[in-house]
Each structure stands twice: as structure tokens, then as C-alpha cells.
Amino acid sequence: TATVGGPYGEKASGPGVDFSYVGIDAILEQMRRKAMKQGFELNIMVVGQSGLGKSTLMNTLFKSKVSRKSVQATAQEKIPKTIEIKSISHDIEEKGVRMKLTVIDTPGFGDQINNENCWRPIMKFINDQYEAYLQEEININRKKRIPDSRVHCCIYFIPPTGHCLRPLDVEFMRRLSKVVNIVPVIAKADTLTLEERDFFKKKIREELRANGIDVYPQKEFDEDAEDRMINEKIREMIPFAVVGSDQEYQVNGRRLLGRKTKWGTIEVENIAHCEFAYLRDLLIRTHMQNIKDITSSIHYEMYRVRRLNENNTVVAHANGMPEHHLAAHEM
């Protein structure tokens, strides 16, 4: 019987050789190697009034001091008169995977006497990042890899009142959910009893529906039946009732993150105590790439189309093109 030789004359016959194998699946390993070399980027924005544990939650999520406050701590930080937007970047590495994490903080949000239009600076910041990316993209000599400062996800902190959303919460999420992926969380959820927590979560879901607010994961972007099933479970749990802590305690011989009280330790990563683990899984372990994809293919794409249409309109008017020609071009 004839044996099939390899490209360098070696014999490829033998009991372990599958002659129908082409090797297409090797593309996965190639992609993995390339991704490992390039590293990943994730930009998370945290929004909520001061004192809701935004910095602590970010430190808990990434198990390191990543929040702005823990890096640039001042003796006593005053609440700013206007909303400031501050971002801080870190290079995180785990098991050989590198990630550039940027945490964007919004001190001053919701802390004023009059909080009308306090969503505007945040909306402007998000759009400014889209604009910077667009300008890089339409350059004649483009960079091989455009730096991505677009906000991939906005974690919105709801105060644990146990009653209902405030007009500020509704207004912010209604406007911002159109331009960024919003993940609402109930902050400091250990201040609510389990019954209060369930009632509050149900009430918030009803209010989000009533106001047409589509938080992440958005129903219209489910790709298939399997996706829909996974995301439906997440949608039933939103908003996540979370507790953050960067303090370690010994409980029954195990070291764990928690909050020590007179009546016991609240274990941050224990799903019987709070829903932090579900939030972490969504943002990091199961949906991180999807969050980035939706930012790029939906939110940024909508911004890009709008801006390029605006430019075409301006150019057409400058060239004296009549309105009906313009409409035809925009179809």
C-alpha cells in the first residue's frame, strides 16, 4: 500500500493518523496566541452619588487597588461643586493574560442640591471618546491598532432606599442607556433585609420597563436561542444587590473577602449573602467580550453613522446641493 508523505518527505501513515483531518481548528490557537500578545482593554465607568461604595466595589471586582481613590487618596476629599470625570488606568496580568483596565469615576454626580442635567457631562464624556475613536479611524494614515478609550460599560449605583428609583436615576438611565451599556446595581445591599431586597429589585425592574430603559444585556441584541436563555436569567436578576469589601477575614478556616459586623461576617463572594459574584461573572467571566462587541457594533456604530451624516449634510449645504438630493443620498 502507498503511504502519503509529508511536505518534507516524512511518512505520515500510521494507526493514529486521521486522513480526513484538515486542521481548520488550529485557527483558534493562532487567535489565542495573537490575543495573548496584544492584550485586552476594558473601560468601566462608575456612576452614583458619593458614599455608595463605588471605589470599594471596583477594588473588590479586580482584587486589587484599581479605583482612583485608592491610588490618589487625599486626606479628605471634598465633594466637587460640579461633576468631574476622572479616569485611571492599570495594567493587570493573570495567568499570562494582560489587560489594560481603565476605571472612570464621576465625583460630584448626584451630590448637588439641584441635580438637574447632571447626566450631561457624562454623556459628553462618552461621546467625546467615540469622537476620538472616529477621528483616528477616518485618518488617511491609520494606526495599526487604534487606542480604545470608548466606555464599554457603565455601572450605575442605586442607593439602597428599598422604595423606588429617584427621578435622577430614571432620567440618567433613560438617556445614557441609548449610548452605553448600563449595568444597574443596588449599592450597600447589606442594609436591606432579604424581603426588602427582593421587593426593591422587583420594583426597579418594573420602573425600568415602564420608562422604556433597556439596560445590559439588551433583549434586542440576543444573538440566538441559547444567548436568549442565558441573558433572560440575568435580566431576571437585575439590578444586582451588591456588597463590596477589600478586607480579608478568616471564617471557618477559610480566608475570604467580607464585612465584619457584631452578628457575623457578610461574605462578599457568597451568593447566599449578596449578588456580587453574579455581577463579577457577568462583567469579567462570561460577558466581557460581548459588552465590548455591543459598544463597538451598536453604540459606537450609531454615533458614527450620525456624525458622518452630519458631515455629509454640512458639505452638501456648502456645495449648494438642494434638499431633495440630500435626502436621496441619505437613504
Side-chain angles (χ1 to χ4, degrees):
T1 54
T3 58
V4 179
Y8 304 107
E10 75 276 23
K11 287 185 179 177
S13 62
V17 175
D18 176 6
F19 285 104
S20 63
Y21 178 69
V22 177
I24 298 166
D25 59 347
I27 187 74
L28 294 173
E29 181 54 28
Q30 293 168 42
M31 287 166 76
R32 194 187 74 84
R33 275 209 308 273
K34 187 179 178 183
M36 292 278 279
K37 265 185 204 162
Q38 285 183 341
F40 300 89
E41 292 170 313
L42 181 67
N43 307 321
I44 294 185
M45 177 180 261
V46 288
V47 179
Q49 65 193 65
S50 55
L52 287 180
K54 300 186 293 296
S55 299
T56 306
L57 188 79
M58 293 314 292
N59 293 345
T60 315
L61 265 176
F62 294 97
K63 296 197 173 171
S64 49
K65 304 276 185 197
V66 296
S67 72
R68 180 185 55 83
K69 270 190 181 171
S70 51
V71 177
Q72 307 169 341
T74 48
Q76 185 60 51
E77 189 172 53
K78 290 192 176 78
I79 292 171
K81 294 279 183 289
T82 56
I83 295 172
E84 298 171 2
I85 294 176
K86 298 181 174 179
S87 59
I88 189 152
S89 295
H90 302 267
D91 289 312
I92 298 176
E93 189 166 333
E94 184 179 57
K95 294 185 179 175
V97 179
R98 285 179 300 113
M99 186 173 80
K100 184 188 176 196
L101 171 73
T102 302
V103 178
I104 303 136
D105 196 0
T106 54
F109 175 86
D111 293 325
Q112 318 305 323
I113 293 166
N114 179 4
N115 288 304
E116 198 180 5
N117 296 335
C118 66
W119 50 269
R120 276 195 176 147
I122 296 171
M123 175 82 95
K124 183 182 181 302
F125 177 86
I126 291 168
N127 283 332
D128 285 350
Q129 307 320 303
Y130 290 151
E131 183 63 30
Y133 196 89
L134 177 65
Q135 291 307 321
E136 287 285 355
E137 212 175 43
I138 60 179
N139 268 343
I140 293 169
N141 299 317
R142 288 201 291 192
K143 289 177 181 163
K144 194 175 175 188
R145 197 166 177 222
I146 299 172
D148 190 1
S149 65
R150 297 171 297 182
V151 180
H152 298 128
C153 176
C154 170
I155 304 177
Y156 186 75
F157 288 70
I158 299 164
T161 61
H163 298 298
C164 59
L165 291 174
R166 303 164 302 166
L168 169 65
D169 304 326
V170 173
E171 185 72 358
F172 178 88
M173 288 194 275
R174 192 171 63 78
R175 290 181 183 273
L176 271 288
S177 62
K178 293 178 175 67
V179 297
V180 70
N181 297 314
I182 289 188
V183 176
V185 299
I186 298 168
K188 299 196 167 178
D190 52 331
T191 60
L192 300 168
T193 66
L194 293 179
E195 292 78 16
E196 286 169 341
R197 190 177 88 178
D198 290 343
F199 170 79
F200 194 29
K201 279 163 68 87
K202 189 164 171 276
K203 186 90 176 118
I204 290 169
R205 282 196 296 274
E206 284 167 8
E207 286 190 67
L208 291 175
R209 265 196 301 275
N211 288 286
I213 298 166
D214 212 3
V215 295
Y216 184 83
Q218 301 91 331
K219 205 173 249 180
E220 59 182 306
F221 306 143
D222 291 346
E223 284 174 17
D224 51 39
E226 187 193 0
D227 244 16
R228 196 169 304 117
M229 203 171 71
I230 294 166
N231 290 346
E232 211 51 63
K233 283 182 186 163
I234 296 165
R235 284 189 277 266
E236 283 165 16
M237 290 170 63
I238 275 176
F240 297 106
V242 297
V243 177
S245 171
D246 33 25
Q247 296 293 312
E248 277 192 3
Y249 293 100
Q250 196 95 13
V251 177
N252 301 331
R254 291 180 303 126
R255 290 191 71 73
L256 44 85
L257 290 170
R259 284 170 60 78
K260 205 173 179 68
T261 65
K262 278 182 182 176
W263 46 88
T265 305
I266 298 149
E267 298 171 27
V268 167
E269 295 178 273
N270 184 340
I271 52 173
H273 291 200
C274 79
E275 294 171 339
F276 167 80
Y278 294 127
L279 173 71
R280 180 203 52 212
D281 289 357
L282 176 78
L283 292 178
I284 301 170
R285 299 185 183 181
T286 62
H287 283 62
M288 186 197 283
Q289 190 55 48
N290 184 253
I291 285 170
K292 293 177 68 175
D293 289 345
I294 287 178
T295 300
S296 182
S297 60
I298 310 288
H299 296 306
Y300 169 67
E301 199 57 30
M302 279 167 67
Y303 178 85
R304 186 180 148 278
V305 167
R306 195 180 78 234
R307 282 286 287 116
L308 296 180
N309 272 338
E310 279 171 17
N311 286 356
N312 289 346
T313 309
V314 170
V315 169
H317 279 307
N319 293 339
M321 193 186 282
E323 286 293 327
H324 63 273
H325 275 293
L326 208 60
H329 276 292
E330 286 180 3
M331 288 303 280

